[in-house]
Structure formats: structure tokens, C-alpha cells
Amino acid sequence: MIKIANVSKHYGSFQVLTDCSTEVSKGEVIVVCGPSGSGKSTLIKCVNGLEPFQSGEIIVDGTSVGDPKTNLSKLRARVGMVFQNFELFPHMSITENLAIAQVKVLGRKQDEAIDKGLKLLDRVGLKAQAHKFPGQLSGGQQQRVAIARALAMDPICMLFDEPTSALDPEMVNEVLDVMTELAKEGMTMMCVTHEMGFAKRVANRVIFMDQGRIVEDDSKEEFFANPRSERAQQFLAKILHH
Amino acid sequence: MYEFDWSSIPGALPFLWDGMKVTLVITAQAVLIGIVWGTLLAMMRLSPIKALSWFAAGYVNLFRAVPLVMVLLWFFLIVPEFVGQLFNIPRGTDMRLSSAMAGFALFESAYYSEIIRAGIQSVPKGQISAASALGMNYGQAMRLVVLPQAFRNMVPLLLTQGIILFQDTSLVYVSALADFFGAAYKVGDRDGRLVEMLLFAGVVYFVICFSASQLVKRLQKKYSTA
Amino acid sequence: MNYQWNWGVFLQPSASGDDTYLGWMFAGFKMTIGLSLSAWVIALLLGALVGVLRTVPNKVLAGFATAYVEMFRNVPLLVQLFIWYFVLPELLPTSIGDAYKQTNPVMQQFLASMVCLGLFTSARVAEQVRAGINSLPRGQKNAGLALGLTLPQTYRFVMLPMAFRLVVPPLTSEFLNIFKNSAVCSTIGLLELAAQGRQLVDYTAQPFESFIAVTLSYIIINVTVMTLMHKFERRISVPGYIGGK
């Protein structure tokens, strides 16, 4: 489904990604973790072309992301993404947030789009909030709406960029529950997150990054039982201690 | 002590009202063109295409470095001559109003473009990412997501700039156009009642601008609590 | 366009005979600078005072300051100038007014322009000063008072030094405005840059050269002031705070 091959990226002389390669097959759930500044968010943003890269290749469902001839908008319409800061559109109601891209990008009819949006809103448990504006919802609720907004596009896979790190602790679980649910239904997912509990429960594989390189790429059992690199051991020790 | 005589004002009201209409027309068209052309300039300034962004930066910085009076003088004394020769407009055609309006619109666009640029930049970058991630192209992301938010943030500033513009229109005095102030000055000069007419003009401007700015303030409060 | 360019015109002796047209331009340039700088001193002093008054708890003082700002902000500069120049001398007691009208007309033009520009700009300076003071964290004032400082002392030692630094960037743009606004004073006959530009057009019949030269002069003033203020901003920046390193 997603193939990342020898991807490198630099801003001026600063190397952000170095020779990253991995593959995600249909239905797999991958957790990407690593210390801050390790390039994990950049890598996931390369997958739908929000960040350009200078060398290597990324193929999503047969389409090359780096190819200048690729219609990126078309590709992105099929790849869902959830952001750290939710990024709901504050000037639109929840319903409008859910419908706008369906109508303007996929060309669906307004009622059809609203119907679909409301169904998904129900699924994330927020049907009662449909008429409200993003600013009137809690962070956890906003992030669930953001997930529903991405799902409304019928994505072939979902990218999560630290979806819980801007949330108050008591709201983390409501978002993780929705993600777990999605994973169970067989959605292909790439998640940048520090939630190791989620990784243990749901992930098929864990990718550990450090200084722009993929240091570990293992099944979760292997990763948590005996991480090979010293950096991963230190990282796990720090994170699992609290 | 000076003895006030306000008797020339009532008779002059129709003439003053005609002047006020000129003032309002100039203000309205400069606001409209200023916002449209200013938005385009702001988008050029922020565009990744270097040539566009340099053009916009040059335009804005040039107009912001030069006094409005100077711009109006250019458009009063020099531009009509130039345009007249270019398009074979017969000599002596009165182009003062259209010329003054063009000067205002071009000048104010530079100021509007800076307000709008700040407005666009006040929308978090993540919003463009989110719009792109949903498959919108740059134009859609701007039109549907960024500009509506930017304009909402900017409404009070745009209106305040409109009030400043309304005051600035009095400077068409340099091209001897009878806007509200020009009309008041003419009447005062004719009747030897300059003191009264100038004070009257000041009061009228104050009442209009003060009420308008109070309205803007109230609007701002309403927006910020919503 | 069949326009005869002639940049040499600036070196020709002027109509008044004792000077070149370049000399006229330079006289206008000096007038613009002198007028703007002296008006700026008035604007800074009054603006700082009125801006502080707008933030004090005393309702009467704050109310007076608000009225001051609203009055100067809501009447066009040109109207204010005409009121200072044409109206005020009439409203003085007859003997003083008549004596004033006997003084040097250039002096009268300059005085009216300076006072008008100074007060007009002071209202805008006051707004910036008020915004600067209000943007300080509330804790700063309380911390000052809690240390036993009086309210004036808290303003003097705690709030104003910080507010002053916050206010410098917006004041830079007001400082630039005062040079641009000084062109309005050409309307009462004060021979500053813009007025000299108009004269040059009439006397030399070389409108393009005249206006390009005057416009360039304004751009030079603008760039110079911006460069100087930028240096100043860096000198006064506070480490670890906005603009600091």
C-alpha cells in the first residue's frame, strides 16, 4: 500500500531525513516513534506530499508521490491525515467541516455529504455536536471530529501525526479508542505517537527513528522485548518509566 | 473678541451635501478597489514565485514611502497630461475626479495589502496543511479555508482603515475638487465666514468618524466574544 | 510622448535669481526635516503623558485623556491644520490676535504646522503607549506594588521601561508618518518639499524631473529613518524577551 524507498530530505545544509525505507501493507498498523527532532513527523508528511523530499521514492497505492506529474491533490483526497493541533476550520460548523472537502474535492452533493458526515460523527460519538463550531468543543472532541472529517473522504489509508500530544491527559483515551476501533476494522494506518500502550495493543510493527534515520523497524513483540539499538533502549526506558 | 456668525451655513447645506457625496464616492471606490487590489497584492507578496513577490513588495514599499499629498499631486498635475496624450483625450477635459480616484485607490491598496497580508499570516500554517491533506488545491485552500478566516480577523482593521481613508479624502483639496471640505472652504471664503465653516466642517467630520469608530469597537467586542 | 528630459534644470539659476532650483529643493528638504523633528518632540512628550493617563485608575484623568485622543483622531489632519492656521488667531483676544498676525508669515505657517502635526501625532503616540502598557503582564504591576512601591513608582521603574521598549516598533511607523504628513502643510503655503515640488513644476516647466526628485527625497528620508530606528530597536532590546537575543 505504502512503499518508502531511500528517502532523504534536507533544509539547506540541515539533513532531516537520511535514506529512510519501509513498507506498509494493506490493513497494517504502524507506529512511528522516536525522540523529538528525529524526523518522524517529517517522514509521515512526506507520504502525502505535504513535505517535499529531494531523493528516494514514495509510492502510495501505485502512485509516486515525488513525481512532479502526479496530481497531489487527487492523491491526498484518498489519504486521510490527522494533525497534532486538529486543524478543524474554525469559521465553519462541525457539519460544514465534515462536508466541505467531500463537496469541493470529490464533487459529492451537499445533502449526501452531510448525511455521510453525520454518520461518521455518530460513529465517533459526537452526533449531538453537529451544529456547533470547533471553538466550542474540547480538544478530544475536536480531534475525534478531525478523524471523522478524514474518514468522510473514504481514505485508503490514514496518517496520524501525534494525534494526542496536544490533548489534556484525560482526553487522550477517547481519541485512542476511536483509533483502536479503526484499526480493528482493518484500516491501514501510520501513526506517529508516543502512546506506547496503544502501540502494544494495536500496532503490527513499530518504527523507531533517531536523527533522521530509521533505526528499528520490527514487529511490536520484537521491538518491546529486545530493542537492538542503544538509542531505542534509552528511549523506551525513559518513556515506560512514567 | 471674535463674534461668531453661523447664518451662512443653512443656505450652504445643499452645496455642502453635494461635496459630501463626492467625498463618499471617492471613499467607497477607494475602499472597494483597495481591498480587491490589496488582496491580490498580498497574495502575490506571499506567493513562492519570486517575480510576483518582488513586484508586490516594491509596489507596497514605494507607495508607503511617499506622502499621499505627493501621490495626489502626481495624479493631479502629471498623470492626466500623460494619459491624455496616450489616449488622445482632448485637452481641457476635466479629469480631476477620475484622476484623484485613481490616485486614492492605488495609494490605499498598498495599505490594505499590508493589513490583508498580516491577516493571511495570522491563520495558522496547519490550516493549509489540513486543507491540502483533504485534497484541496492551493486556490481552494485559499478561497475556502484561509481567506474567510483571514477576513474575519481583519474586519475591524479594514473598517478602521476605511475611516482613515474617509478623513484622507479631504486632501483632494490640492486638486481643487469640491469634496465636503473643499465645499466648506469655498463657502467660508466667499462669505468671509471661514472660521465658522472650518469649525463646522471639523464637527461634521468628528461626529461621523467618532460614531463610525464606536460602531467598529462594538463590532469587535461582539466578534471576540462569539 | 514627446517629452524633453532635462535634468540639468536643477543647476540653472532660479527665478528669484540668487539660488539654483536645486537650492530650492534643498530648502524644502530642510523645512520638511525641521518641521517633522520639532513636531515629533511635541508628539512624543504629550503622547507619552496622555498615553499613561489613559491607563491610570483615576476616572477624571483617564476620561480627559480619552477625549483628547478621540478629538485628534477623528478630524482630518487638513481640517485641523486649517483650524490652527486660520481659526485660532481669530479666537485670541483682539489685541494679541492682531499682534500675532503682524509677525513673520513664514513663522506663523511654521508654528501652526508644528503644533498641528505635533498634537495630531501625539494622539496616535498615546494610543501606542497605552497599548504597550496594557500589554504588560498584570503581574508586573502587582509585583511592583507588592514590593511596596507607590503607583507612580511602579509606573516609573517597572512598567514604563518595559512598555517603552514594546512601543518602539509601532512608534517607528508613527515617526515615518510625521514626515509624510508634513506634506499636508504645503496647503497653507509652507515651503516644504511638496510645496517646492509644485513651485518647481510651475517655474521650470519640467514636471517629471521636479516630481521625481521630490518623490525620491521622501523615499530617502523614509529609508534613512527606518535604518536608524532599526539600529535603535536592536540597541534597546531586552535579552530573552521580544527582539532580544
Side-chain angles (χ1 to χ4, degrees):
Chain A
M1 172 79 58
I2 303 173
K3 182 166 177 252
I4 300 175
N6 311 106
V7 168
S8 295
K9 172 182 176 66
H10 54 85
Y11 294 113
S13 64
F14 180 65
Q15 195 74 26
V16 203
L17 295 175
T18 311
D19 202 21
C20 295
S21 302
T22 190
E23 261 183 79
V24 185
S25 22
K26 196 166 176 348
E28 251 191 321
V29 176
I30 310 290
V31 162
V32 184
C33 60
S36 63
S38 59
K40 50 197 192 307
S41 281
T42 310
L43 180 67
I44 203 174
K45 282 184 183 143
C46 286
V47 173
N48 65 352
L50 282 181
E51 292 272 2
F53 46 92
Q54 282 89 11
S55 63
E57 192 179 45
I58 297 181
I59 311 274
V60 178
D61 197 35
T63 310
S64 168
V65 179
D67 186 342
K69 280 183 297 236
T70 299
N71 183 335
L72 274 180
S73 297
K74 225 172 203 166
L75 175 74
R76 288 171 185 150
R78 300 168 62 216
V79 177
M81 183 159 203
V82 175
F83 296 84
Q84 181 173 0
N85 294 313
F86 332 132
E87 305 296 355
L88 294 180
F89 305 135
H91 58 302
M92 300 177 190
S93 72
I94 300 303
T95 318
E96 288 169 316
N97 261 285
L98 290 162
I100 181 85
Q102 294 186 64
V103 174
K104 300 289 178 183
V105 177
L106 300 180
R108 286 181 186 153
K109 289 209 184 67
Q110 183 81 16
D111 340 340
E112 197 188 330
I114 289 179
D115 259 12
K116 170 134 196 149
L118 289 178
K119 266 190 205 124
L120 287 162
L121 203 55
D122 195 22
R123 215 175 107 183
V124 297
L126 291 171
K127 198 167 190 181
Q129 321 290 338
H131 59 283
K132 289 194 178 161
F133 282 80
Q136 298 169 297
L137 302 189
S138 74
Q141 290 175 322
Q142 287 193 52
Q143 195 60 301
R144 280 145 68 197
V145 173
I147 295 174
R149 180 175 73 176
L151 290 175
M153 306 292 284
D154 295 318
I156 53 170
C157 62
M158 289 279 286
L159 307 173
F160 291 85
D161 184 11
E162 307 210 24
T164 56
S165 42
L167 295 176
D168 291 336
E170 75 270 20
M171 291 172 186
V172 168
N173 279 330
E174 60 186 83
V175 172
L176 290 181
D177 287 347
V178 173
M179 290 169 63
T180 308
E181 204 54 33
L182 257 184
K184 276 192 195 143
E185 284 163 24
M187 175 62 76
T188 310
M189 293 163 59
M190 235 179 134
C191 316
V192 173
T193 181
H194 288 162
E195 297 294 335
M196 290 300 121
F198 173 77
K200 277 184 181 160
R201 262 182 292 131
V202 182
N204 300 104
R205 274 179 20 234
V206 177
I207 291 177
F208 176 77
M209 294 186 68
D210 187 35
Q211 296 180 342
R213 291 174 190 277
I214 294 185
V215 183
E216 310 242 354
D217 184 352
D218 270 321
S219 73
K220 70 173 167 194
E221 292 81 7
E222 190 66 19
F223 178 76
F224 285 113
N226 40 28
R228 280 167 303 180
S229 67
E230 202 179 313
R231 291 302 309 249
Q233 288 165 10
Q234 286 169 353
F235 178 77
L236 279 177
K238 264 187 218 155
I239 262 199
L240 297 179
H241 263 277
H242 10 258
Chain B
M1 268 316 244
Y2 187 82
E3 275 179 43
F4 287 100
D5 173 8
W6 304 95
S7 59
S8 63
I9 291 180
L13 283 179
F15 184 57
L16 292 174
W17 172 238
D18 284 344
M20 186 52 89
K21 280 190 282 194
V22 173
T23 296
L24 290 174
V25 166
I26 297 178
T27 307
Q29 69 89 31
V31 167
L32 276 180
I33 299 179
I35 289 179
V36 173
W37 180 218
T39 307
L40 290 175
L41 282 170
M43 283 168 68
M44 282 191 233
R45 184 92 189 253
L46 297 171
S47 125
I49 303 167
K50 283 260 156 59
L52 286 182
S53 125
W54 281 339
F55 166 76
Y59 180 98
V60 170
N61 288 332
L62 174 68
F63 274 99
R64 282 164 54 94
V66 179
L68 177 55
V69 169
M70 240 4 252
V71 173
L72 291 176
L73 285 174
W74 270 100
F75 275 82
F76 171 49
L77 294 175
I78 296 189
V79 173
E81 191 82 359
F82 184 72
V83 173
Q85 287 197 19
L86 214 60
F87 296 101
N88 278 322
I89 298 169
R91 265 178 178 275
T93 311
D94 188 0
M95 288 196 284
R96 283 180 306 166
L97 183 63
S98 42
S99 191
M101 298 217 290
F104 264 106
L106 293 179
F107 179 85
E108 295 294 337
S109 305
Y111 286 80
Y112 274 115
S113 119
E114 285 297 275
I115 296 176
I116 293 163
R117 180 166 73 113
I120 293 177
Q121 285 175 324
S122 75
V123 177
K125 275 226 165 69
Q127 290 281 306
I128 287 204
S129 298
S132 316
L134 286 168
M136 292 185 195
N137 57 38
Y138 182 76
Q140 286 175 317
M142 268 296 178
R143 193 161 44 83
L144 300 172
V145 175
V146 176
L147 286 178
Q149 294 183 55
F151 273 102
R152 201 161 292 214
N153 299 341
M154 288 174 323
V155 166
L157 276 178
L158 292 176
L159 291 175
T160 304
Q161 183 66 26
I163 298 174
I164 296 174
L165 214 169
F166 176 75
Q167 296 187 21
D168 281 349
T169 53
S170 59
L171 291 175
V172 294
Y173 175 84
V174 300
S175 50
L177 265 178
D179 71 321
F180 174 68
F181 179 73
Y185 185 84
K186 271 184 198 154
V187 172
D189 206 30
R190 184 195 64 196
D191 299 350
R193 288 286 151 216
L194 202 50
V195 170
E196 288 83 353
M197 286 313 291
L198 287 176
L199 289 174
F200 177 69
V203 169
V204 170
Y205 275 111
F206 179 82
V207 169
I208 294 176
C209 297
F210 181 73
S211 333
S213 66
Q214 292 309 108
L215 276 178
V216 172
K217 243 180 227 164
R218 206 179 288 175
L219 199 78
Q220 207 167 4
K221 248 183 215 153
K222 216 174 107 189
Y223 266 116
S224 60
T225 49
Chain C
M1 276 303 281
N2 42 356
Y3 183 78
Q4 291 290 321
W5 290 93
N6 176 17
W7 288 98
V9 72
F10 288 109
L11 298 176
Q12 289 168 15
S14 69
S16 57
D18 52 356
D19 202 354
T20 59
Y21 288 114
L22 190 66
W24 281 17
M25 278 246 342
F26 189 61
F29 189 81
K30 279 192 295 191
M31 183 62 92
T32 289
I33 302 277
L35 169 64
S36 305
L37 289 182
S38 44
W40 182 241
V41 173
I42 298 177
L44 264 190
L45 292 176
L46 279 177
L49 179 70
V50 174
V52 169
L53 286 185
R54 286 206 72 179
T55 68
V56 297
N58 185 317
K59 284 240 163 66
V60 178
L61 288 177
F64 163 79
T66 306
Y68 179 97
V69 168
E70 292 297 346
M71 189 170 81
F72 286 107
R73 276 212 318 185
N74 286 308
V75 177
L77 178 59
L78 181 68
V79 180
Q80 293 187 29
L81 180 66
F82 275 40
I83 289 177
W84 285 111
Y85 186 64
F86 291 113
V87 175
L88 215 77
E90 303 292 339
L91 302 186
L92 294 170
T94 320
S95 57
I96 304 179
D98 284 348
Y100 178 72
K101 281 181 244 169
Q102 297 304 315
T103 58
N104 181 350
V106 177
M107 200 61 214
Q108 289 179 40
Q109 291 164 355
F110 186 85
L111 265 181
S113 300
M114 180 181 79
V115 171
C116 172
L117 264 187
L119 295 189
F120 176 82
T121 311
S122 75
R124 307 170 62 107
V125 170
E127 277 304 272
Q128 305 294 358
V129 169
R130 177 181 73 113
I133 293 175
N134 284 343
S135 72
L136 294 176
R138 261 189 185 283
Q140 293 278 302
K141 184 172 162 190
N142 291 337
L145 295 175
L147 284 171
L149 299 176
T150 62
L151 186 64
Q153 282 176 321
T154 307
Y155 267 98
R156 164 82 182 75
F157 297 112
V158 180
M159 296 163 72
L160 291 184
M162 202 58 215
F164 167 70
R165 289 171 164 83
L166 289 175
V167 153
V168 169
L171 283 193
T172 300
S173 90
E174 291 307 332
F175 192 32
L176 289 168
N177 281 340
I178 215 168
F179 288 97
K180 289 185 269 175
N181 285 335
S182 69
V184 172
C185 302
S186 62
T187 55
I188 57 167
L190 186 75
L191 283 174
E192 43 64 78
L193 256 176
Q196 291 288 11
R198 263 191 108 148
Q199 275 211 105
L200 284 173
V201 175
D202 289 343
Y203 282 86
T204 64
Q206 297 291 144
F208 277 94
E209 290 86 341
S210 312
F211 268 29
I212 289 174
V214 170
T215 304
L216 272 179
S217 308
Y218 279 112
I219 292 174
I220 289 169
I221 293 176
N222 196 69
V223 171
T224 312
V225 171
M226 270 205 289
T227 315
L228 290 178
M229 290 305 283
H230 195 68
K231 277 193 183 147
F232 182 60
E233 271 168 44
R234 267 197 297 191
R235 277 243 336 247
I236 59 162
S237 65
V238 178
Y241 211 71
I242 35 133
K245 274 169 262 168

